[in-house]
Amino acid sequence: MKTSIIQRLGCAVIGLCLLASPGLARAGEPRIVNIYNFIRNSDYRVPNSEAVLLETTRQQIQLLKEAGLPATWALQYDALINPRYQKLLKEQLDGHDEIAAWWEIPQPLAEKAGLKWRGQHEWDSTANVGFSPGYTPEERRKLADVYMADFKAVFGRYPSTVGSWYIDEVTLEYMADHYGIIASCNCKDQVGTDGYTLWGGYWNQAYYPSRLNAYMPAQTRAGQLDIPIFRMLGSDPIYQYGNSPGMFTLEPVYSAAGGSAAWTEWFLDNLIHQPALAFGYTQAGQENSFGWEGMKTGLTMQVALLAMQSRAGEIKVETLAQSGQWFRQHFPLTPSTAVVVLDDWKHQDRKTVWYDSRFYRLNMLWEQGRFFIRDLHLFDEKVASVTHDKVLATTSLAYGTLPVMDGALWSGAERAGMWPVVLSADGQASPMAPDGAPVVAELNANTLSIRQPLRGGGTFTMVCGETNVTFAAMDGQGQPLHWGWNLVGGAQQQSAVTIVTPNHVGYQTAGTDYQLRLAPNAGSCELLNNGTIRLNANHAGEMIEILGGS
């Protein structure tokens, strides 16, 4: 007898619910922590900065040595050429640590590469001065040549990894081809912080970037740089979203987050015990610009906790180079990963699930008795970065992907999101309300299931796969529900949407056309009179969204 998607999903989820139970990660799904400390020589925002920053690095090294934990120490060029840092790192670090490159462009590096310095200080955080996209591709390669030659002169080898808040694909490819760079890291997703916007990308963990766009995950071996980029700073999966007020990251200088023992324990407990698919990851540590007094309480607390969890086998603390090498050995393409948090440190009953593949990212949020898709962005390796072959002309930088739903940038008078609704016989919509906690389970290496009981009986099931998301809903008697998604995004959604047909919604962002498609006989699309887009389930209560693949 032919079975429906509902029946197949129900059996799969019930059979694997034990995977969602608290417990240690399985051996094939490590929980990796990089302690990453990058080092500037001076900072115009800090009085007596050269002495303050050097002492900060000295104290960080001592703390980690006492804990027996490895770390990555990434040198900005002005610190690389300072004999005091050279002496400190050579004398105090051992083979467990990594000395790496931090890719912000200070005055000594620009001038040694024969370039005119445009900054107001020796190190200038202005995006088109301090970051590689502010230079022509030829200039980017010159900067790399100078840095690498001097690094080798000091340490007898080239660095294995390079990090920055943002580093472009031209520089990464050149460093990999000519100097053997095997991994990189960039800033968490954010909107506007410090003038840097990275929004819509692979949430947390790591990805292989497109050869045309370092922020855009690639879909094919031919289209990717074989340099995994790890996401920095350990973002709060619930509250660090878009331009939300406050900074909720693992950085120990933030007292409500990484400087709080309660928040840090909550964050790491979810990293260790919740489903993550291929692997779980976070980045700890702190840039030396914040000074030792600002970070010592939080960092000391974090290091003690990480050391305890490492000894217990709950996490693997390793260098970025080790993580990059492991990633390259295990994943020829960007893997699917998840970030799952089913308890709320604010005790406001919020929950969230992030799913990433090389084709898309999706975020489900529970709050105030509702659940909805807060975020859905598609990835396309053929979309070139705006600075791929051009110089960044503005003092801020912004890189993005392809939004289908953007709860951060599309919210206005109405909260943007994809909202599940139950439809009456005459088409009236009422909110689909949860009853109790969702069950989140790993179905296989690439597939994550969410099973949500509904108020009044019934179940909503969502299965995120590498290229598709499958939805199914049934009532308390096991009969298909008449339901759909309401896509609410205000003027920004209306601006992005180009067409709505029965089987797809067409979009255009920054000149790129893309689609949200429904599988044949697995739902339909319509545009409502109020501008809302409705995705309707089929008569069996099922829907399949095609988000990648051919």
Side-chain angles (χ1 to χ4, degrees):
M1 182 174 65
K2 185 177 180 180
T3 58
S4 69
I5 294 176
I6 290 176
Q7 291 170 317
R8 297 195 300 274
L9 294 181
C11 292
V13 173
I14 291 170
L16 288 165
C17 279
L18 289 176
L19 294 178
S21 300
L24 298 183
R26 297 198 300 277
E29 303 172 357
R31 271 43 175 175
I32 297 170
V33 178
N34 292 156
I35 301 176
Y36 192 89
N37 300 304
F38 65 82
I39 302 171
R40 298 187 181 108
N41 182 66
S42 64
D43 189 322
Y44 61 89
R45 302 166 297 184
V46 179
N48 193 28
S49 65
E50 288 197 31
V52 170
L53 271 58
L54 179 66
E55 179 60 20
T56 298
T57 303
R58 190 189 316 277
Q59 294 284 359
Q60 290 175 308
I61 291 173
Q62 183 63 33
L63 175 66
L64 288 163
K65 282 184 67 175
E66 291 174 356
L69 294 178
T72 296
W73 306 89
L75 287 164
Q76 190 169 282
Y77 184 78
D78 52 0
L80 168 66
I81 61 175
N82 185 335
R84 292 182 295 176
Y85 280 108
Q86 297 170 12
K87 183 175 186 292
L88 176 66
L89 299 186
K90 287 180 178 180
E91 290 182 352
Q92 296 298 316
L93 301 185
D94 57 30
H96 294 97
D97 291 290
E98 175 193 3
I99 302 175
W102 180 252
W103 206 245
E104 292 183 52
I105 314 300
Q107 185 174 358
L109 176 57
E111 290 181 344
K112 190 166 184 181
L115 308 179
K116 181 180 179 181
W117 180 243
R118 294 176 279 114
Q120 298 183 25
H121 314 277
E122 184 180 80
W123 165 76
D124 195 318
S125 60
T126 305
N128 63 340
V129 174
F131 294 90
S132 59
Y135 301 83
T136 68
E138 180 183 1
E139 290 171 339
R140 297 171 203 176
R141 291 186 276 268
K142 287 181 180 179
L143 291 165
D145 287 339
V146 169
Y147 183 100
M148 293 298 176
D150 285 355
F151 190 100
K152 187 174 183 180
V154 172
F155 295 108
R157 58 170 181 81
Y158 297 125
S160 296
T161 68
V162 59
S164 181
W165 295 135
Y166 184 77
I167 181 170
D168 71 280
E169 62 284 347
V170 173
T171 298
L172 283 175
E173 184 169 26
Y174 185 75
M175 287 182 171
D177 290 347
H178 289 78
Y179 300 107
I181 290 293
I182 63 170
S184 185
C185 59
N186 66 13
C187 188
K188 64 175 174 60
D189 260 37
Q190 62 183 34
V191 176
T193 305
D194 298 326
Y196 317 142
T197 293
L198 301 175
W199 192 244
Y202 197 100
W203 183 269
N204 208 58
Q205 270 88 321
Y207 65 95
Y208 288 118
S210 162
R211 291 182 176 274
L212 300 177
N213 190 332
Y215 184 63
M216 183 75 75
Q219 289 73 59
T220 67
R221 288 296 302 270
Q224 75 184 23
L225 293 176
D226 291 326
I227 309 165
I229 297 178
F230 291 77
R231 305 306 304 272
M232 298 178 68
L233 303 182
S235 289
D236 185 315
I238 299 174
Y239 294 104
Q240 189 63 52
Y241 181 74
N243 53 5
S244 54
M247 289 293 290
F248 300 107
T249 74
L250 198 56
E251 295 170 274
V253 294
Y254 296 120
S255 58
S260 161
W263 184 94
T264 301
E265 290 169 4
W266 166 86
F267 181 87
L268 292 173
D269 183 69
N270 280 287
L271 170 69
I272 292 166
H273 294 114
Q274 292 294 348
L277 294 175
F279 70 107
Y281 174 81
T282 196
Q283 179 255 322
Q286 189 74 70
E287 61 195 275
N288 64 347
S289 286
F290 279 99
W292 181 244
E293 289 303 312
M295 72 178 72
K296 69 177 180 180
T297 300
L299 188 60
T300 301
M301 172 271 295
Q302 284 191 14
V303 167
L305 181 58
L306 293 172
M308 180 181 68
Q309 292 171 334
S310 177
R311 289 192 298 268
E314 295 177 319
I315 61 174
K316 294 176 64 177
V317 179
E318 57 189 28
T319 65
L320 179 60
Q322 290 172 323
S323 298
Q325 188 64 34
W326 174 84
F327 189 99
R328 288 157 58 101
Q329 290 172 350
H330 284 79
F331 308 115
L333 295 163
T334 297
S336 299
T337 62
V339 178
V340 178
V341 172
L342 301 181
D343 63 320
D344 182 355
W345 63 271
K346 288 190 176 184
H347 306 293
Q348 295 176 2
D349 199 30
R350 291 184 175 89
K351 306 172 181 65
T352 199
V353 174
W354 287 91
Y355 177 89
D356 292 279
S357 80
R358 69 185 192 272
F359 295 99
Y360 70 97
R361 84 173 192 187
L362 182 148
N363 177 231
M364 181 78 83
L365 183 70
W366 287 255
E367 66 175 8
Q368 299 176 347
R370 297 284 310 266
F371 66 100
F372 67 107
I373 293 176
R374 176 167 63 169
D375 190 284
L376 177 57
H377 282 75
L378 306 185
F379 306 144
D380 185 347
E381 66 186 19
K382 297 185 293 296
V383 177
S385 164
V386 294
T387 55
H388 179 65
D389 54 5
K390 298 180 179 65
V391 172
L392 176 67
T394 57
T395 57
S396 60
L397 59 81
Y399 298 93
T401 58
L402 305 176
V404 170
M405 179 51 59
D406 193 325
L409 302 184
W410 289 5
S411 289
E414 287 187 282
R415 181 79 176 277
M418 295 174 60
W419 300 88
V421 293
V422 178
L423 303 172
S424 64
D426 60 0
Q428 295 298 308
S430 59
M432 185 182 289
D435 183 13
V439 175
V440 182
E442 300 175 359
L443 300 188
N444 56 46
N446 292 313
T447 309
L448 191 77
S449 165
I450 302 169
R451 184 174 183 269
Q452 176 61 61
L454 300 177
R455 190 177 305 162
T459 304
F460 177 85
T461 303
M462 171 176 169
V463 175
C464 297
E466 190 174 43
T467 60
N468 299 344
V469 183
T470 301
F471 307 95
M474 57 186 173
D475 64 20
Q477 289 72 49
Q479 296 301 308
L481 275 177
H482 185 203
W483 72 281
W485 291 106
N486 277 358
L487 277 60
V488 177
Q492 289 85 354
Q493 177 174 275
Q494 292 179 20
S495 176
V497 172
T498 57
I499 190 171
V500 179
T501 75
N503 62 6
H504 84 276
V505 181
Y507 297 81
Q508 186 180 89
T509 295
T512 297
D513 294 312
Y514 55 102
Q515 296 181 354
L516 168 64
R517 294 182 291 135
L518 299 184
N521 304 312
S524 62
C525 314
E526 63 175 318
L527 180 63
L528 305 184
N529 292 333
N530 63 0
T532 295
I533 296 170
R534 166 96 37 91
L535 307 181
N536 296 293
N538 65 15
H539 293 299
E542 304 164 351
M543 185 189 304
I544 301 176
E545 295 179 359
I546 302 173
L547 303 175
S550 57

